[in-house]
Short mmCIF file of all heavy atoms in Angstrom, two decimals:
data_model
loop_
_atom_site.label_atom_id
_atom_site.label_comp_id
_atom_site.label_asym_id
_atom_site.label_seq_id
_atom_site.Cartn_x
_atom_site.Cartn_y
_atom_site.Cartn_z
N GLY A 537 -0.16 -48.49 -10.35
CA GLY A 537 0.78 -48.30 -11.45
C GLY A 537 2.18 -48.72 -11.06
O GLY A 537 2.48 -48.99 -9.90
N THR A 538 3.06 -48.78 -12.06
CA THR A 538 4.43 -49.22 -11.84
C THR A 538 5.43 -48.18 -12.33
O THR A 538 5.17 -47.46 -13.30
CB THR A 538 4.72 -50.55 -12.55
OG1 THR A 538 4.57 -50.37 -13.97
CG2 THR A 538 3.77 -51.65 -12.08
N ILE A 539 6.57 -48.12 -11.64
CA ILE A 539 7.70 -47.28 -12.04
C ILE A 539 8.93 -48.18 -12.07
O ILE A 539 9.28 -48.80 -11.06
CB ILE A 539 7.93 -46.11 -11.06
CG1 ILE A 539 6.66 -45.27 -10.89
CG2 ILE A 539 9.08 -45.23 -11.53
CD1 ILE A 539 6.75 -44.23 -9.78
N THR A 540 9.57 -48.25 -13.23
CA THR A 540 10.72 -49.15 -13.39
C THR A 540 11.95 -48.35 -13.79
O THR A 540 11.90 -47.54 -14.72
CB THR A 540 10.42 -50.20 -14.48
OG1 THR A 540 9.22 -50.88 -14.15
CG2 THR A 540 11.55 -51.21 -14.58
N LEU A 541 13.05 -48.56 -13.06
CA LEU A 541 14.33 -47.91 -13.33
C LEU A 541 15.35 -48.97 -13.72
O LEU A 541 15.68 -49.84 -12.91
CB LEU A 541 14.80 -47.12 -12.11
CG LEU A 541 16.17 -46.44 -12.22
CD1 LEU A 541 16.16 -45.36 -13.30
CD2 LEU A 541 16.59 -45.85 -10.87
N ASN A 542 15.81 -48.92 -14.96
CA ASN A 542 16.77 -49.90 -15.47
C ASN A 542 16.34 -51.34 -15.15
O ASN A 542 17.13 -52.17 -14.68
CB ASN A 542 18.16 -49.64 -14.89
CG ASN A 542 18.83 -48.43 -15.53
OD1 ASN A 542 18.59 -48.13 -16.71
ND2 ASN A 542 19.65 -47.73 -14.77
N GLY A 543 15.06 -51.62 -15.37
CA GLY A 543 14.53 -52.96 -15.21
C GLY A 543 14.10 -53.32 -13.80
O GLY A 543 13.54 -54.40 -13.58
N GLU A 544 14.31 -52.42 -12.83
CA GLU A 544 13.96 -52.71 -11.43
C GLU A 544 12.74 -51.90 -11.02
O GLU A 544 12.69 -50.68 -11.21
CB GLU A 544 15.14 -52.35 -10.51
CG GLU A 544 14.85 -52.57 -9.03
CD GLU A 544 15.92 -52.00 -8.11
OE1 GLU A 544 16.87 -51.36 -8.61
OE2 GLU A 544 15.79 -52.18 -6.88
N ARG A 545 11.74 -52.58 -10.45
CA ARG A 545 10.56 -51.88 -9.93
C ARG A 545 10.96 -51.05 -8.71
O ARG A 545 11.58 -51.56 -7.77
CB ARG A 545 9.49 -52.90 -9.53
CG ARG A 545 8.88 -53.67 -10.70
CD ARG A 545 7.66 -52.96 -11.28
NE ARG A 545 6.58 -52.85 -10.32
CZ ARG A 545 5.62 -53.76 -10.15
NH1 ARG A 545 5.63 -54.87 -10.86
NH2 ARG A 545 4.67 -53.57 -9.26
N ILE A 546 10.60 -49.75 -8.69
CA ILE A 546 11.03 -48.87 -7.60
C ILE A 546 9.87 -48.15 -6.91
O ILE A 546 10.10 -47.35 -6.01
CB ILE A 546 12.05 -47.82 -8.08
CG1 ILE A 546 11.40 -46.88 -9.12
CG2 ILE A 546 13.30 -48.48 -8.63
CD1 ILE A 546 12.24 -45.66 -9.44
N GLU A 547 8.63 -48.42 -7.34
CA GLU A 547 7.52 -47.62 -6.79
C GLU A 547 7.35 -47.80 -5.29
O GLU A 547 6.74 -46.94 -4.62
CB GLU A 547 6.21 -47.92 -7.52
CG GLU A 547 5.66 -49.32 -7.34
CD GLU A 547 6.14 -50.27 -8.40
OE1 GLU A 547 7.04 -49.89 -9.18
OE2 GLU A 547 5.60 -51.39 -8.47
N SER A 548 7.87 -48.86 -4.70
CA SER A 548 7.74 -49.06 -3.26
C SER A 548 8.94 -48.53 -2.49
O SER A 548 8.94 -48.54 -1.25
CB SER A 548 7.57 -50.56 -2.95
OG SER A 548 8.71 -51.28 -3.37
N LEU A 549 9.96 -48.03 -3.19
CA LEU A 549 11.17 -47.55 -2.51
C LEU A 549 10.97 -46.14 -1.96
O LEU A 549 10.25 -45.32 -2.53
CB LEU A 549 12.35 -47.55 -3.48
CG LEU A 549 12.81 -48.90 -4.04
CD1 LEU A 549 14.04 -48.70 -4.92
CD2 LEU A 549 13.10 -49.89 -2.92
N ARG A 550 11.69 -45.86 -0.88
CA ARG A 550 11.69 -44.52 -0.31
C ARG A 550 12.47 -43.57 -1.22
O ARG A 550 13.27 -44.00 -2.06
CB ARG A 550 12.32 -44.53 1.08
CG ARG A 550 11.53 -45.31 2.13
CD ARG A 550 12.30 -45.34 3.44
NE ARG A 550 11.59 -46.10 4.45
CZ ARG A 550 10.70 -45.59 5.28
NH1 ARG A 550 10.43 -44.29 5.22
NH2 ARG A 550 10.09 -46.35 6.17
N THR A 551 12.29 -42.29 -0.98
CA THR A 551 12.96 -41.27 -1.80
C THR A 551 14.47 -41.42 -1.75
O THR A 551 15.16 -41.35 -2.78
CB THR A 551 12.55 -39.86 -1.31
OG1 THR A 551 11.15 -39.69 -1.47
CG2 THR A 551 13.27 -38.78 -2.12
N ALA A 552 15.03 -41.64 -0.57
CA ALA A 552 16.49 -41.76 -0.43
C ALA A 552 17.02 -42.92 -1.24
O ALA A 552 18.09 -42.83 -1.87
CB ALA A 552 16.86 -41.94 1.05
N GLU A 553 16.28 -44.03 -1.27
CA GLU A 553 16.72 -45.20 -2.04
C GLU A 553 16.66 -44.91 -3.54
O GLU A 553 17.53 -45.34 -4.30
CB GLU A 553 15.85 -46.41 -1.71
CG GLU A 553 16.15 -47.03 -0.35
CD GLU A 553 17.58 -47.55 -0.28
OE1 GLU A 553 18.08 -48.07 -1.30
OE2 GLU A 553 18.21 -47.41 0.79
N ARG A 554 15.66 -44.19 -3.96
CA ARG A 554 15.57 -43.85 -5.39
C ARG A 554 16.73 -42.93 -5.79
O ARG A 554 17.29 -43.07 -6.87
CB ARG A 554 14.22 -43.19 -5.70
CG ARG A 554 13.03 -44.08 -5.39
CD ARG A 554 11.74 -43.49 -5.89
NE ARG A 554 10.58 -44.13 -5.25
CZ ARG A 554 9.34 -44.04 -5.69
NH1 ARG A 554 9.06 -43.35 -6.78
NH2 ARG A 554 8.35 -44.65 -5.04
N ARG A 555 17.08 -42.01 -4.92
CA ARG A 555 18.21 -41.12 -5.20
C ARG A 555 19.51 -41.91 -5.29
O ARG A 555 20.36 -41.64 -6.14
CB ARG A 555 18.32 -40.03 -4.13
CG ARG A 555 17.18 -39.00 -4.17
CD ARG A 555 17.43 -37.87 -3.20
NE ARG A 555 18.60 -37.10 -3.60
CZ ARG A 555 18.55 -36.01 -4.37
NH1 ARG A 555 17.39 -35.57 -4.84
NH2 ARG A 555 19.65 -35.37 -4.69
N ARG A 556 19.68 -42.89 -4.40
CA ARG A 556 20.90 -43.70 -4.44
C ARG A 556 21.00 -44.50 -5.74
O ARG A 556 22.10 -44.81 -6.20
CB ARG A 556 20.93 -44.66 -3.25
CG ARG A 556 21.19 -43.97 -1.91
CD ARG A 556 21.46 -44.97 -0.80
NE ARG A 556 21.43 -44.30 0.50
CZ ARG A 556 20.41 -44.33 1.34
NH1 ARG A 556 19.32 -45.03 1.03
NH2 ARG A 556 20.47 -43.69 2.48
N ARG A 557 19.86 -44.82 -6.32
CA ARG A 557 19.86 -45.55 -7.59
C ARG A 557 20.02 -44.63 -8.79
O ARG A 557 20.04 -45.10 -9.93
CB ARG A 557 18.57 -46.37 -7.71
CG ARG A 557 18.64 -47.67 -6.88
CD ARG A 557 17.27 -48.24 -6.67
NE ARG A 557 17.33 -49.58 -6.08
CZ ARG A 557 17.60 -49.83 -4.80
NH1 ARG A 557 17.86 -48.83 -3.97
NH2 ARG A 557 17.63 -51.08 -4.37
N GLY A 558 20.10 -43.31 -8.53
CA GLY A 558 20.47 -42.40 -9.61
C GLY A 558 19.40 -41.47 -10.12
O GLY A 558 19.53 -40.93 -11.22
N ILE A 559 18.32 -41.27 -9.34
CA ILE A 559 17.29 -40.30 -9.77
C ILE A 559 17.54 -38.97 -9.06
O ILE A 559 17.62 -38.92 -7.83
CB ILE A 559 15.87 -40.79 -9.44
CG1 ILE A 559 15.58 -42.12 -10.14
CG2 ILE A 559 14.84 -39.75 -9.89
CD1 ILE A 559 14.17 -42.63 -9.94
N ALA A 560 17.66 -37.91 -9.83
CA ALA A 560 17.84 -36.57 -9.28
C ALA A 560 16.63 -35.72 -9.63
O ALA A 560 15.93 -35.99 -10.61
CB ALA A 560 19.11 -35.93 -9.83
N TYR A 561 16.41 -34.66 -8.85
CA TYR A 561 15.18 -33.88 -8.99
C TYR A 561 15.46 -32.40 -8.83
O TYR A 561 16.03 -31.97 -7.82
CB TYR A 561 14.17 -34.34 -7.94
CG TYR A 561 12.83 -33.60 -7.93
CD1 TYR A 561 12.17 -33.29 -9.11
CD2 TYR A 561 12.24 -33.24 -6.72
CE1 TYR A 561 10.95 -32.64 -9.08
CE2 TYR A 561 11.01 -32.60 -6.69
CZ TYR A 561 10.36 -32.30 -7.88
OH TYR A 561 9.15 -31.65 -7.86
N VAL A 562 15.07 -31.62 -9.82
CA VAL A 562 15.07 -30.17 -9.72
C VAL A 562 13.63 -29.72 -9.60
O VAL A 562 12.86 -29.82 -10.56
CB VAL A 562 15.75 -29.53 -10.95
CG1 VAL A 562 15.69 -28.00 -10.85
CG2 VAL A 562 17.19 -29.99 -11.07
N SER A 563 13.24 -29.25 -8.42
CA SER A 563 11.86 -28.85 -8.16
C SER A 563 11.58 -27.48 -8.76
O SER A 563 12.48 -26.66 -8.95
CB SER A 563 11.62 -28.82 -6.64
OG SER A 563 10.42 -28.14 -6.34
N ASP A 564 10.30 -27.22 -9.03
CA ASP A 564 9.90 -25.88 -9.49
C ASP A 564 9.83 -24.89 -8.35
O ASP A 564 9.75 -23.69 -8.57
CB ASP A 564 8.54 -25.96 -10.18
CG ASP A 564 7.42 -26.30 -9.22
OD1 ASP A 564 7.66 -27.13 -8.31
OD2 ASP A 564 6.31 -25.76 -9.37
N ASP A 565 9.88 -25.36 -7.10
CA ASP A 565 9.73 -24.50 -5.93
C ASP A 565 11.01 -24.54 -5.11
O ASP A 565 11.15 -25.31 -4.17
CB ASP A 565 8.53 -24.97 -5.09
CG ASP A 565 8.24 -24.03 -3.92
OD1 ASP A 565 8.95 -23.01 -3.77
OD2 ASP A 565 7.31 -24.33 -3.15
N ARG A 566 11.96 -23.69 -5.48
CA ARG A 566 13.25 -23.72 -4.79
C ARG A 566 13.13 -23.26 -3.34
O ARG A 566 13.93 -23.65 -2.50
CB ARG A 566 14.28 -22.87 -5.54
CG ARG A 566 13.87 -21.43 -5.77
CD ARG A 566 14.94 -20.68 -6.56
NE ARG A 566 14.46 -19.37 -6.97
CZ ARG A 566 13.89 -19.12 -8.15
NH1 ARG A 566 13.75 -20.10 -9.01
NH2 ARG A 566 13.46 -17.91 -8.46
N HIS A 567 12.14 -22.43 -3.04
CA HIS A 567 11.96 -21.97 -1.66
C HIS A 567 11.26 -23.02 -0.81
O HIS A 567 11.62 -23.23 0.35
CB HIS A 567 11.15 -20.66 -1.63
CG HIS A 567 11.93 -19.48 -2.11
ND1 HIS A 567 11.38 -18.21 -2.23
CD2 HIS A 567 13.21 -19.36 -2.53
CE1 HIS A 567 12.29 -17.38 -2.68
NE2 HIS A 567 13.40 -18.04 -2.88
N GLY A 568 10.26 -23.67 -1.39
CA GLY A 568 9.45 -24.61 -0.61
C GLY A 568 10.12 -25.93 -0.37
O GLY A 568 10.12 -26.44 0.76
N ASP A 569 10.74 -26.52 -1.41
CA ASP A 569 11.34 -27.84 -1.20
C ASP A 569 12.68 -28.02 -1.91
O ASP A 569 13.19 -29.14 -1.99
CB ASP A 569 10.37 -28.96 -1.63
CG ASP A 569 9.75 -28.73 -3.00
OD1 ASP A 569 10.45 -28.22 -3.89
OD2 ASP A 569 8.57 -29.05 -3.18
N GLY A 570 13.26 -26.94 -2.42
CA GLY A 570 14.59 -27.04 -3.03
C GLY A 570 15.70 -26.69 -2.08
O GLY A 570 16.78 -27.29 -2.11
#
Side-chain angles (χ1 to χ4, degrees):
T538 63
I539 304 171
T540 305
L541 177 64
N542 285 329
E544 178 190 4
R545 293 271 297 271
I546 64 169
E547 66 268 10
S548 62
L549 297 183
R550 294 175 181 271
T551 298
E553 286 298 323
R554 299 189 198 196
R555 291 187 65 92
R556 289 190 192 101
R557 281 163 171 76
I559 301 183
Y561 179 43
V562 177
S563 166
D564 67 322
D565 186 1
R566 56 182 171 266
H567 287 177
D569 48 37

